[in-house]
């Protein structure tokens, strides 16, 4: 009887440890900041050749993993409407896939007739070195992940104290919905 009771206590203890690891492995975004508008252009007021060159330039994502598992991340040149002041980042992870959703709040009275480039800095916690499948979406206020707004979808390798940089697929702006 004592052996059975001891085994049950051990099993309960082991299951508590394994569920704690699941909680610790969940990625979180924190310390998010947005830059001021770096470049503002209007499709109707700018020279068309200059605007097309600007519009085609893709954003980039840099990830640098620290010793403690904290990843310092920066998305450079996110295109968004000039009237929007903040962009946000949501992260989910499952197995070795990381999904980032970059979106804006969009609670404004009217949209401006221009697009700005912004940088979005944030940290992700509890990331281990290794190979991951990274998928990055742009989304509007509803945070819907539509295939036409997949900005990056490929394998990446993340190592401690080494910056990993990726270039997004196109120069799309965040959706205005």
């Amino acid at each position: 009887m004592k052996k059975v009771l001891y085994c049950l206590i051990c099993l309960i203890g082991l299951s508590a440890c394994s569920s704690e690891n699941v909680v610790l492995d969940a990625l979180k975004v924190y310390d998010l900041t947005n830059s001021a508008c770096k470049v503002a252009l209007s499709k109707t007021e700018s020279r068309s050749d200059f605007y097309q060159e600007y519009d085609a330039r893709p954003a980039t994502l840099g990830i640098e993993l620290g010793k403690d598992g904290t990843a310092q991340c920066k998305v450079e040149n996110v295109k968004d409407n000039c009237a929007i002041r903040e962009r946000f980042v949501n992260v989910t992870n499952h197995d070795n896939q990381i999904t980032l959703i970059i979106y804006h709040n969009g609670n404004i009275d009217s949209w401006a007739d221009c697009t700005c480039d912004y940088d979005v800095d944030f940290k992700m916690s509890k990331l281990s070195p290794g190979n991951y499948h990274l998928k990055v979406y742009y989304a509007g206020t509803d945070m819907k992940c539509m295939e036409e707004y997949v900005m990056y979808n490929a394998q990446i390798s993340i190592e401690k104290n080494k910056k990993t940089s990726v270039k997004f697929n196109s120069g799309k702006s965040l959706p205005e919905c």
Side-chain angles (χ1 to χ4, degrees):
M1 183 69 167
K2 286 183 181 179
K3 287 182 183 179
V4 172
L5 186 58
Y6 179 74
C7 288
L8 282 173
I9 291 171
C10 288
L11 284 173
I12 291 170
L14 288 174
S15 67
C17 291
S18 65
S19 65
E20 181 180 64
N21 286 338
V22 171
V23 172
L24 291 176
D25 289 338
L27 292 178
K28 292 187 291 186
V29 170
Y30 62 99
D31 290 349
L32 186 133
T33 60
N34 287 263
S35 72
C37 179
K38 299 187 325 180
V39 175
L41 293 177
S42 168
K43 190 173 189 172
T44 57
E45 295 178 12
S46 302
R47 285 190 358 232
S48 63
D49 57 336
F50 188 71
Y51 186 84
Q52 287 173 350
E53 182 182 319
Y54 158 79
D55 198 41
R57 193 176 66 213
T60 59
L61 168 65
I63 302 172
E64 189 168 350
L65 185 61
K67 294 179 214 171
D68 62 351
T70 299
Q72 183 69 43
C73 305
K74 182 174 197 156
V75 184
E76 294 183 89
N77 300 322
V78 174
K79 290 177 182 46
D80 201 2
N81 190 283
C82 293
I84 303 293
R85 297 291 175 229
E86 288 185 289
R87 275 126 310 277
F88 304 95
V89 177
N90 190 15
V91 63
T92 60
N93 63 310
H94 184 341
D95 295 328
N96 277 0
Q97 178 166 323
I98 299 171
T99 303
L100 291 174
I101 303 169
I102 302 167
Y103 65 101
H104 55 235
N105 187 330
N107 289 337
I108 59 170
D109 293 331
S110 63
W111 294 94
D113 180 31
C114 64
T115 303
C116 282
D117 274 359
Y118 299 95
D119 292 343
V120 180
D121 293 283
F122 60 96
K123 292 179 182 175
M124 278 192 298
S125 64
K126 303 296 179 193
L127 188 61
S128 301
N131 295 318
Y132 294 92
H133 185 91
L134 176 66
K135 199 165 189 177
V136 180
Y137 289 95
Y138 279 176
T141 56
D142 58 5
M143 287 185 48
K144 280 189 179 177
C145 298
M146 298 185 299
E147 288 304 310
E148 68 186 274
Y149 286 102
V150 173
M151 297 295 107
Y152 190 82
N153 187 11
Q155 291 292 121
I156 62 167
S157 179
I158 298 176
E159 299 175 31
K160 284 188 178 180
N161 300 320
K162 182 179 177 190
K163 186 174 183 178
T164 301
S165 294
V166 298
K167 191 180 283 192
F168 288 177
N169 293 333
S170 70
K172 287 189 178 189
S173 297
L174 289 174
E176 290 188 359
C177 52

